[in-house]
């Protein structure tokens, strides 16, 4: 089977799945990168050398070869690219296409009323509702957005980003975390310091923990426009001895922070389409506190089973769970152990790649082959306002 994956660029969140697909298919697998990565993400350590991966092709370097791959492959996966011209001929051919997408309406589903927007959604998506075109939903609220524009009926499936899987002796990993003994609980925020990611919530929790007289340390890994304000706030609150700002670090270094962290803070709002640091933190055995609006949360987390989920923007609930986890080491271990199991058993690159291949092979035989849960299971239609409740009523 000739299989081609097309996206804006490859990064460390996509390489694990692609490398497994290459192991399975050899020279019949290619990843086409349509543009160069933005400078900011390169500075964060996301860049990949264009000649470092045997399956990587760049449209801007070899357009004719890339165009032929899209036309000739048995199955094409396409997503993360605003420009539809890359896939237009393939869609018209009627041969199988698997699209993947984050949300259409991150800023609010009310935007679906735009006539101009609806025309574009019809052109790009809705008119193919009866064709051999399928949708991988990279986030729990994606299916709800596409349901509004009546696209992909019964053809939407769970997907996401699949970071490198690391395997540990989980009991040893949990026992070596600072808060497992008599040491202070280690809290971690990792990401860009932007309003959508609400890094200030981490400092609010630090202030609350200090007021409660609890022993903790908070690492703030990242940088961005809010960095100076956050550092000033920490100093004014007398948190210099309890909070460390590391600046931007490589993905490998951040994974090291996660392995040490007792609690990971996932505080982004609805603008976070997926949030791959959640995969990494769960894989590292962290007890996670997460905002329900983050795209990955309803797919990956079940409240009080493998993480704690607070209602979008509810600071009081966030602080309550933060204090609870610092107080209760046994609860941290319970959540961290189950979080690790979720990634190892379901939401990992090997499971995703094998499921995607099985799905693609089924399409070539006129069948839809899906899993019962996890990647390539059917994506439920979860309106954004219902994500919080979904994490409570759906067990694993």
């Amino acid at each position: 089977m000739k299989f081609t994956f097309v996206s804006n660029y490859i990064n460390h969140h996509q390489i694990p799945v692609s490398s497994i697909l290459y192991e399975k298919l050899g020279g019949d697998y290619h990843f086409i990168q349509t543009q160069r990565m933005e400078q900011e993400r390169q500075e964060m350590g996301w860049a990949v050398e264009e000649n470092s991966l045997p399956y990587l092709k760049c449209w801007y370097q070899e357009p004719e070869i890339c165009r032929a791959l899209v036309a000739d492959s048995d199955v094409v996966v396409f997503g993360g690219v605003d420009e539809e011209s890359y896939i237009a001929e393939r869609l018209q051919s009627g041969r199988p296409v698997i699209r993947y997408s984050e949300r259409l309406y991150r800023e609010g589903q009310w935007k679906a009323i735009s006539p101009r927007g609806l025309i574009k959604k019809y052109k790009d998506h809705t008119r193919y509702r009866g064709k051999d075109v399928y949708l991988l939903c990279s986030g729990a609220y994606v299916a709800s957005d596409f349901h509004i524009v009546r696209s992909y009926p019964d053809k939407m499936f769970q997907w996401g980003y699949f970071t490198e899987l690391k395997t540990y002796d989980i009991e040893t990993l949990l026992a070596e975390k600072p808060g497992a003994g008599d040491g202070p609980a280690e809290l971690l925020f990792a990401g860009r310091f932007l309003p959508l990611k609400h890094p200030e919530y981490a400092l609010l929790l630090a202030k609350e923990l200090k007021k409660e007289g609890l022993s903790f340390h908070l690492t703030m890994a990242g940088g961005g426009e809010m960095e100076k304000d956050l550092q000033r706030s920490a100093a004014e609150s007398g948190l210099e001895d309890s909070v460390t700002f590391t600046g931007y670090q490589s993905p490998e270094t951040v994974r090291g922070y996660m392995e040490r962290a007792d609690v990971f803070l996932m505080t982004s709002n609805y603008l976070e389409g997926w949030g791959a640091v959640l995969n990494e933190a769960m894989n590292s055995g962290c007890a996670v506190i997460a905002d329900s609006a983050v795209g990955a949360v309803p797919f990956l987390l079940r409240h009080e089973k493998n993480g704690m989920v607070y209602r979008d923007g509810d600071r009081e609930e966030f602080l309550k769970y933060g204090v609870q986890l610092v107080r209760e080491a046994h609860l941290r271990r319970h959540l961290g152990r189950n979080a690790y199991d979720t990634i190892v058993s379901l939401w990992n690159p090997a499971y995703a790649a094998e499921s995607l291949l099985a799905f693609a092979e089924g399409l070539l035989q006129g069948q839809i082959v899906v899993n019962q849960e996890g990647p390539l299971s059917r994506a439920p239609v979860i309106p954004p306002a219902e994500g919080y409740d979904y994490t409570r009523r759906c067990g694993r």
Side-chain angles (χ1 to χ4, degrees), residues 293-307:
V294 173
V297 165
F299 280 176
L300 298 188
L301 292 183
R302 296 294 175 262
H303 181 63
E304 294 185 328
K305 295 184 178 180
N306 63 352

Side-chain angles (χ1 to χ4, degrees), residues 78-131:
F78 177 81
V81 181
D82 292 332
E83 175 57 60
E84 290 288 315
S85 62
Y86 299 104
I87 199 68
E89 292 183 10
R90 175 75 186 206
L91 288 169
Q92 293 301 320
S93 74
R95 302 181 69 196
V97 173
I98 304 172
R99 302 191 70 136
Y100 81 91
S101 179
E102 293 187 10
R103 293 197 61 188
L104 292 176
Y105 303 115
R106 288 192 206 184
E107 297 179 2
Q109 291 183 335
W110 60 269
K111 289 201 168 188
I113 66 175
S114 165
R116 180 180 297 179
L118 287 173
I119 291 171
K120 179 168 174 54
K121 300 304 182 293
Y122 175 82
K123 181 179 178 182
D124 296 347
H125 301 286
T126 309
R127 63 174 167 163
Y128 299 107
R129 58 183 278 123
K131 305 296 184 181

Side-chain angles (χ1 to χ4, degrees), residues 212-231:
E212 294 287 330
L214 297 172
S215 181
F216 75 96
H217 177 264
L218 168 64
T219 297
M220 299 285 288
E225 64 185 66
M226 299 176 65
E227 185 169 7
K228 290 184 179 179
D229 287 341
L230 292 168
Q231 291 173 339

Side-chain angles (χ1 to χ4, degrees), residues 1-5 20-30 69 72-77 90 95-98 352-367:
M1 176 173 58
K2 292 184 178 180
F3 192 109
T4 296
F5 202 116
I20 293 170
L21 291 173
Y22 181 70
E23 290 175 9
K24 301 284 186 181
L25 299 176
D28 286 332
Y29 176 75
H30 292 90
L69 285 171
D72 298 338
S73 292
D74 296 301
V75 176
V76 174
V77 177
R90 175 75 186 206
R95 302 181 69 196
V97 173
I98 304 172
E354 290 166 4
S355 298
L356 184 57
L357 279 179
F359 183 78
E361 289 168 353
L363 294 183
L364 297 179
Q365 299 170 16
Q367 303 174 349

